[in-house]
Structure formats: C-alpha cells, structure tokens
Amino acid sequence: MESSTLVAMLLADGRLPTGGHAYSAGLEPAMMGGLPASSVPEFLRARAVTSSRVEAGTAVAARHAVLTGADVRSVDAAWAARTPAPAVRDASIAQARGYLRLAVRLWPAASSLAQMRGASWSPSRSVVVGAIAAEAGLGADELVRVVIYDEAATAAGALLKLDPRDPAETTKWILDTCEYAEHQVASLSTITEPAGIPGAGTPQSEEWAQRHSRATHRLFRA
C-alpha cells in the first residue's frame, strides 16, 4: 500500500488523537436549532456541497502554498473571510492545535508544520491538514476526499451520541454523502490560489453555531 494512502487513512480515522471527538461538524448546533434526526442524511449532503467545499478548497490551497513556498497565511485569511461565524472559526483553530501537536511528532523534520506551531497567528484546521498533506505526499484529489469524508464521519459519529441508532445506518449515510460529493473532487483539487477557494456560505449553520457556543448544556464544542 502506498504511503500516501496510509496517510489518507490516518487523517480520515476518527480515532486520530487530535481532539476531534469533541466536535460534531455542526450537527449538535443544528439539532439544538431544531433539525430532526430524520433529516441528518440531507444535512450531511448539504454540508458536503457547501461548508465542506470551503474546507476542502482551503486544504488544497494550503497544500499548494506549502509545496511552492507561497504564503500560507493568505490561504488562512481567505478561509476566515468565507467563515464569518466566530464560533466556527474558534472551533477550527482549536482543532488545528491538536492536529499540529500530532503532526510535529509524526513529521519532526517538516519545517512548515513546526513554523505553524510556533507562529504568532493561529491557523485553521483546514490549513494545517493541507500542510500535512504536502509534507506527507498526499495528492490533492485524495485530500479533497479526506476532508469531505471527515466532515461527514464526524457528524455521523456525533449523532450516535445525540440520538443512538445502528452504526451501520450512519455509515451508509457517510458513504452516500461521499458519493454525492464526488463530482466536486476534480475541480476542488485544481485550486492553487486563495481566491479560488469556494465561497459556499451556510448562514443557517453559522447562526446555529453562534447560538450553540453560548449553550450551557451540550456534548460537543461545535
């Protein structure tokens, strides 16, 4: 098995010790906002062609920036401009710290990762994942698929705690979501500039996230 495939499997594994278990990919905020559990499959597909496109495009642009020596901070700024809710940005930055801690241990010679960890600014999760992909030799198309899968799997995993059911059912939803979003892979994998990152906003999810950040009873951070 190629090393890049192993890296893709590692990044897509929910057991990766980055603190991802504390996040629901927007599902808990949505359910607290009134989304019924029966609508979760539609929720996953909707995210796959909106917010997940932003995340995947950001990761691909960050990967390209690291590989070419371009300014990765401009990629992060473009992501922030497309992610208006402070709660969503804060959650992404917190997750990024977990990814960086692990990545620096796995790839100690990777200067881009070490520089990000010691930087005066805080990168988003997608930027860090893109940098990991660059250092680990993960292709742009594989990276897009990993991001889309991870978003769907995180939400589906959270549902098992919020509204327990047969895990085989939610696994099918994840696979269906990835298949539904496959048509985006080719175009997203060609992004090389921050301006090319999609601006697929999700105003309702952003509003839910803001309300959720003020909740006193919740299982997940976001």
Side-chain angles (χ1 to χ4, degrees), residues 178-203:
C178 291
E179 182 179 2
Y180 178 76
E182 178 65 21
H183 70 280
Q184 304 177 117
V185 173
S187 60
L188 288 171
S189 63
T190 63
I191 295 172
T192 58
E193 300 293 333
I197 299 171
T202 53

PDB file of all heavy atoms in Angstrom, residues 178-203:
ATOM      1  N   CYS A 178     -20.318  10.877   0.501  1.00  0.00           N
ATOM      2  CA  CYS A 178     -19.072  10.944  -0.282  1.00  0.00           C
ATOM      3  C   CYS A 178     -19.352  10.732  -1.762  1.00  0.00           C
ATOM      4  O   CYS A 178     -18.765  11.413  -2.614  1.00  0.00           O
ATOM      5  CB  CYS A 178     -18.078   9.916   0.235  1.00  0.00           C
ATOM      6  SG  CYS A 178     -17.427  10.281   1.880  1.00  0.00           S
ATOM      7  N   GLU A 179     -20.230   9.784  -2.061  1.00  0.00           N
ATOM      8  CA  GLU A 179     -20.589   9.553  -3.466  1.00  0.00           C
ATOM      9  C   GLU A 179     -21.303  10.767  -4.044  1.00  0.00           C
ATOM     10  O   GLU A 179     -21.049  11.179  -5.176  1.00  0.00           O
ATOM     11  CB  GLU A 179     -21.478   8.311  -3.578  1.00  0.00           C
ATOM     12  CG  GLU A 179     -21.861   7.967  -5.005  1.00  0.00           C
ATOM     13  CD  GLU A 179     -22.729   6.718  -5.101  1.00  0.00           C
ATOM     14  OE1 GLU A 179     -23.054   6.140  -4.045  1.00  0.00           O
ATOM     15  OE2 GLU A 179     -23.090   6.334  -6.227  1.00  0.00           O
ATOM     16  N   TYR A 180     -22.183  11.367  -3.259  1.00  0.00           N
ATOM     17  CA  TYR A 180     -22.928  12.553  -3.692  1.00  0.00           C
ATOM     18  C   TYR A 180     -21.993  13.711  -4.010  1.00  0.00           C
ATOM     19  O   TYR A 180     -22.255  14.511  -4.925  1.00  0.00           O
ATOM     20  CB  TYR A 180     -23.897  12.941  -2.570  1.00  0.00           C
ATOM     21  CG  TYR A 180     -24.713  14.174  -2.812  1.00  0.00           C
ATOM     22  CD1 TYR A 180     -25.807  14.159  -3.679  1.00  0.00           C
ATOM     23  CD2 TYR A 180     -24.406  15.379  -2.154  1.00  0.00           C
ATOM     24  CE1 TYR A 180     -26.569  15.293  -3.889  1.00  0.00           C
ATOM     25  CE2 TYR A 180     -25.167  16.516  -2.363  1.00  0.00           C
ATOM     26  CZ  TYR A 180     -26.249  16.469  -3.229  1.00  0.00           C
ATOM     27  OH  TYR A 180     -27.000  17.604  -3.436  1.00  0.00           O
ATOM     28  N   ALA A 181     -20.893  13.813  -3.262  1.00  0.00           N
ATOM     29  CA  ALA A 181     -19.959  14.937  -3.431  1.00  0.00           C
ATOM     30  C   ALA A 181     -18.801  14.639  -4.379  1.00  0.00           C
ATOM     31  O   ALA A 181     -17.986  15.524  -4.635  1.00  0.00           O
ATOM     32  CB  ALA A 181     -19.400  15.330  -2.060  1.00  0.00           C
ATOM     33  N   GLU A 182     -18.738  13.438  -4.910  1.00  0.00           N
ATOM     34  CA  GLU A 182     -17.592  13.046  -5.734  1.00  0.00           C
ATOM     35  C   GLU A 182     -17.394  13.950  -6.952  1.00  0.00           C
ATOM     36  O   GLU A 182     -16.265  14.187  -7.384  1.00  0.00           O
ATOM     37  CB  GLU A 182     -17.757  11.584  -6.179  1.00  0.00           C
ATOM     38  CG  GLU A 182     -16.657  11.051  -7.078  1.00  0.00           C
ATOM     39  CD  GLU A 182     -15.286  10.984  -6.407  1.00  0.00           C
ATOM     40  OE1 GLU A 182     -15.226  10.957  -5.160  1.00  0.00           O
ATOM     41  OE2 GLU A 182     -14.278  10.957  -7.134  1.00  0.00           O
ATOM     42  N   HIS A 183     -18.489  14.484  -7.493  1.00  0.00           N
ATOM     43  CA  HIS A 183     -18.357  15.320  -8.692  1.00  0.00           C
ATOM     44  C   HIS A 183     -17.560  16.591  -8.447  1.00  0.00           C
ATOM     45  O   HIS A 183     -17.120  17.250  -9.404  1.00  0.00           O
ATOM     46  CB  HIS A 183     -19.755  15.691  -9.218  1.00  0.00           C
ATOM     47  CG  HIS A 183     -20.493  16.663  -8.332  1.00  0.00           C
ATOM     48  ND1 HIS A 183     -21.147  16.265  -7.173  1.00  0.00           N
ATOM     49  CD2 HIS A 183     -20.660  18.003  -8.410  1.00  0.00           C
ATOM     50  CE1 HIS A 183     -21.707  17.316  -6.599  1.00  0.00           C
ATOM     51  NE2 HIS A 183     -21.419  18.390  -7.317  1.00  0.00           N
ATOM     52  N   GLN A 184     -17.355  16.961  -7.186  1.00  0.00           N
ATOM     53  CA  GLN A 184     -16.615  18.184  -6.860  1.00  0.00           C
ATOM     54  C   GLN A 184     -15.103  17.969  -6.812  1.00  0.00           C
ATOM     55  O   GLN A 184     -14.342  18.937  -6.836  1.00  0.00           O
ATOM     56  CB  GLN A 184     -17.032  18.700  -5.471  1.00  0.00           C
ATOM     57  CG  GLN A 184     -18.510  18.944  -5.294  1.00  0.00           C
ATOM     58  CD  GLN A 184     -18.806  19.377  -3.881  1.00  0.00           C
ATOM     59  OE1 GLN A 184     -19.282  20.493  -3.665  1.00  0.00           O
ATOM     60  NE2 GLN A 184     -18.538  18.540  -2.907  1.00  0.00           N
ATOM     61  N   VAL A 185     -14.686  16.716  -6.700  1.00  0.00           N
ATOM     62  CA  VAL A 185     -13.283  16.431  -6.422  1.00  0.00           C
ATOM     63  C   VAL A 185     -12.361  17.012  -7.492  1.00  0.00           C
ATOM     64  O   VAL A 185     -11.344  17.650  -7.188  1.00  0.00           O
ATOM     65  CB  VAL A 185     -13.055  14.913  -6.278  1.00  0.00           C
ATOM     66  CG1 VAL A 185     -11.569  14.601  -6.149  1.00  0.00           C
ATOM     67  CG2 VAL A 185     -13.813  14.384  -5.070  1.00  0.00           C
ATOM     68  N   ALA A 186     -12.695  16.815  -8.746  1.00  0.00           N
ATOM     69  CA  ALA A 186     -11.810  17.254  -9.831  1.00  0.00           C
ATOM     70  C   ALA A 186     -11.573  18.755  -9.798  1.00  0.00           C
ATOM     71  O   ALA A 186     -10.431  19.219  -9.918  1.00  0.00           O
ATOM     72  CB  ALA A 186     -12.397  16.837 -11.176  1.00  0.00           C
ATOM     73  N   SER A 187     -12.633  19.539  -9.636  1.00  0.00           N
ATOM     74  CA  SER A 187     -12.464  20.993  -9.652  1.00  0.00           C
ATOM     75  C   SER A 187     -11.782  21.498  -8.384  1.00  0.00           C
ATOM     76  O   SER A 187     -10.911  22.381  -8.448  1.00  0.00           O
ATOM     77  CB  SER A 187     -13.821  21.683  -9.826  1.00  0.00           C
ATOM     78  OG  SER A 187     -14.702  21.351  -8.771  1.00  0.00           O
ATOM     79  N   LEU A 188     -12.128  20.951  -7.238  1.00  0.00           N
ATOM     80  CA  LEU A 188     -11.514  21.404  -5.990  1.00  0.00           C
ATOM     81  C   LEU A 188     -10.030  21.075  -5.935  1.00  0.00           C
ATOM     82  O   LEU A 188      -9.235  21.837  -5.378  1.00  0.00           O
ATOM     83  CB  LEU A 188     -12.221  20.766  -4.792  1.00  0.00           C
ATOM     84  CG  LEU A 188     -13.633  21.276  -4.474  1.00  0.00           C
ATOM     85  CD1 LEU A 188     -14.287  20.406  -3.409  1.00  0.00           C
ATOM     86  CD2 LEU A 188     -13.597  22.728  -4.018  1.00  0.00           C
ATOM     87  N   SER A 189      -9.636  19.977  -6.536  1.00  0.00           N
ATOM     88  CA  SER A 189      -8.234  19.559  -6.472  1.00  0.00           C
ATOM     89  C   SER A 189      -7.319  20.406  -7.347  1.00  0.00           C
ATOM     90  O   SER A 189      -6.095  20.292  -7.256  1.00  0.00           O
ATOM     91  CB  SER A 189      -8.094  18.084  -6.860  1.00  0.00           C
ATOM     92  OG  SER A 189      -8.491  17.875  -8.206  1.00  0.00           O
ATOM     93  N   THR A 190      -7.890  21.279  -8.180  1.00  0.00           N
ATOM     94  CA  THR A 190      -7.063  22.130  -9.051  1.00  0.00           C
ATOM     95  C   THR A 190      -6.822  23.517  -8.453  1.00  0.00           C
ATOM     96  O   THR A 190      -6.132  24.339  -9.065  1.00  0.00           O
ATOM     97  CB  THR A 190      -7.720  22.298 -10.431  1.00  0.00           C
ATOM     98  OG1 THR A 190      -8.981  22.978 -10.289  1.00  0.00           O
ATOM     99  CG2 THR A 190      -7.946  20.955 -11.096  1.00  0.00           C
ATOM    100  N   ILE A 191      -7.368  23.799  -7.288  1.00  0.00           N
ATOM    101  CA  ILE A 191      -7.208  25.117  -6.670  1.00  0.00           C
ATOM    102  C   ILE A 191      -5.743  25.370  -6.306  1.00  0.00           C
ATOM    103  O   ILE A 191      -5.105  24.525  -5.676  1.00  0.00           O
ATOM    104  CB  ILE A 191      -8.103  25.251  -5.424  1.00  0.00           C
ATOM    105  CG1 ILE A 191      -9.578  25.203  -5.828  1.00  0.00           C
ATOM    106  CG2 ILE A 191      -7.798  26.546  -4.654  1.00  0.00           C
ATOM    107  CD1 ILE A 191     -10.527  25.138  -4.645  1.00  0.00           C
ATOM    108  N   THR A 192      -5.234  26.525  -6.706  1.00  0.00           N
ATOM    109  CA  THR A 192      -3.850  26.873  -6.374  1.00  0.00           C
ATOM    110  C   THR A 192      -3.730  28.221  -5.679  1.00  0.00           C
ATOM    111  O   THR A 192      -2.693  28.512  -5.078  1.00  0.00           O
ATOM    112  CB  THR A 192      -2.989  26.913  -7.649  1.00  0.00           C
ATOM    113  OG1 THR A 192      -3.550  27.860  -8.572  1.00  0.00           O
ATOM    114  CG2 THR A 192      -2.932  25.533  -8.309  1.00  0.00           C
ATOM    115  N   GLU A 193      -4.762  29.028  -5.736  1.00  0.00           N
ATOM    116  CA  GLU A 193      -4.716  30.367  -5.147  1.00  0.00           C
ATOM    117  C   GLU A 193      -5.831  30.543  -4.120  1.00  0.00           C
ATOM    118  O   GLU A 193      -6.908  29.954  -4.270  1.00  0.00           O
ATOM    119  CB  GLU A 193      -4.862  31.443  -6.236  1.00  0.00           C
ATOM    120  CG  GLU A 193      -3.780  31.414  -7.301  1.00  0.00           C
ATOM    121  CD  GLU A 193      -2.418  31.790  -6.742  1.00  0.00           C
ATOM    122  OE1 GLU A 193      -2.382  32.538  -5.725  1.00  0.00           O
ATOM    123  OE2 GLU A 193      -1.403  31.347  -7.294  1.00  0.00           O
ATOM    124  N   PRO A 194      -5.605  31.356  -3.103  1.00  0.00           N
ATOM    125  CA  PRO A 194      -6.655  31.600  -2.108  1.00  0.00           C
ATOM    126  C   PRO A 194      -7.963  32.087  -2.721  1.00  0.00           C
ATOM    127  O   PRO A 194      -9.046  31.729  -2.246  1.00  0.00           O
ATOM    128  CB  PRO A 194      -6.036  32.668  -1.201  1.00  0.00           C
ATOM    129  CG  PRO A 194      -4.563  32.436  -1.313  1.00  0.00           C
ATOM    130  CD  PRO A 194      -4.341  32.024  -2.743  1.00  0.00           C
ATOM    131  N   ALA A 195      -7.863  32.872  -3.789  1.00  0.00           N
ATOM    132  CA  ALA A 195      -9.072  33.402  -4.424  1.00  0.00           C
ATOM    133  C   ALA A 195      -9.922  32.301  -5.036  1.00  0.00           C
ATOM    134  O   ALA A 195     -11.121  32.498  -5.274  1.00  0.00           O
ATOM    135  CB  ALA A 195      -8.696  34.417  -5.501  1.00  0.00           C
ATOM    136  N   GLY A 196      -9.331  31.145  -5.283  1.00  0.00           N
ATOM    137  CA  GLY A 196     -10.067  30.050  -5.886  1.00  0.00           C
ATOM    138  C   GLY A 196     -10.877  29.228  -4.897  1.00  0.00           C
ATOM    139  O   GLY A 196     -11.659  28.354  -5.304  1.00  0.00           O
ATOM    140  N   ILE A 197     -10.701  29.482  -3.600  1.00  0.00           N
ATOM    141  CA  ILE A 197     -11.461  28.739  -2.592  1.00  0.00           C
ATOM    142  C   ILE A 197     -12.947  29.098  -2.725  1.00  0.00           C
ATOM    143  O   ILE A 197     -13.292  30.283  -2.762  1.00  0.00           O
ATOM    144  CB  ILE A 197     -10.966  29.081  -1.172  1.00  0.00           C
ATOM    145  CG1 ILE A 197      -9.492  28.691  -1.020  1.00  0.00           C
ATOM    146  CG2 ILE A 197     -11.814  28.366  -0.126  1.00  0.00           C
ATOM    147  CD1 ILE A 197      -8.868  29.191   0.270  1.00  0.00           C
ATOM    148  N   PRO A 198     -13.833  28.115  -2.806  1.00  0.00           N
ATOM    149  CA  PRO A 198     -15.262  28.414  -2.960  1.00  0.00           C
ATOM    150  C   PRO A 198     -15.802  29.259  -1.811  1.00  0.00           C
ATOM    151  O   PRO A 198     -15.329  29.172  -0.671  1.00  0.00           O
ATOM    152  CB  PRO A 198     -15.915  27.026  -2.963  1.00  0.00           C
ATOM    153  CG  PRO A 198     -14.826  26.095  -3.364  1.00  0.00           C
ATOM    154  CD  PRO A 198     -13.568  26.670  -2.789  1.00  0.00           C
ATOM    155  N   GLY A 199     -16.800  30.056  -2.121  1.00  0.00           N
ATOM    156  CA  GLY A 199     -17.450  30.865  -1.096  1.00  0.00           C
ATOM    157  C   GLY A 199     -18.844  30.347  -0.835  1.00  0.00           C
ATOM    158  O   GLY A 199     -19.819  31.103  -0.916  1.00  0.00           O
ATOM    159  N   ALA A 200     -18.938  29.053  -0.540  1.00  0.00           N
ATOM    160  CA  ALA A 200     -20.246  28.409  -0.360  1.00  0.00           C
ATOM    161  C   ALA A 200     -20.718  28.589   1.081  1.00  0.00           C
ATOM    162  O   ALA A 200     -20.479  27.739   1.930  1.00  0.00           O
ATOM    163  CB  ALA A 200     -20.144  26.928  -0.720  1.00  0.00           C
ATOM    164  N   GLY A 201     -21.369  29.686   1.344  1.00  0.00           N
ATOM    165  CA  GLY A 201     -21.779  30.007   2.703  1.00  0.00           C
ATOM    166  C   GLY A 201     -22.951  29.177   3.195  1.00  0.00           C
ATOM    167  O   GLY A 201     -23.755  28.675   2.409  1.00  0.00           O
ATOM    168  N   THR A 202     -23.038  29.046   4.518  1.00  0.00           N
ATOM    169  CA  THR A 202     -24.158  28.340   5.161  1.00  0.00           C
ATOM    170  C   THR A 202     -24.666  29.199   6.314  1.00  0.00           C
ATOM    171  O   THR A 202     -24.372  28.928   7.477  1.00  0.00           O
ATOM    172  CB  THR A 202     -23.707  26.961   5.681  1.00  0.00           C
ATOM    173  OG1 THR A 202     -22.547  27.134   6.511  1.00  0.00           O
ATOM    174  CG2 THR A 202     -23.360  26.025   4.538  1.00  0.00           C
ATOM    175  N   PRO A 203     -25.390  30.262   6.004  1.00  0.00           N
ATOM    176  CA  PRO A 203     -25.827  31.210   7.044  1.00  0.00           C
ATOM    177  C   PRO A 203     -26.581  30.566   8.198  1.00  0.00           C
ATOM    178  O   PRO A 203     -26.374  30.937   9.361  1.00  0.00           O
ATOM    179  CB  PRO A 203     -26.726  32.186   6.269  1.00  0.00           C
ATOM    180  CG  PRO A 203     -26.250  32.100   4.854  1.00  0.00           C
ATOM    181  CD  PRO A 203     -25.842  30.679   4.660  1.00  0.00           C
TER     182      PRO A 203
END
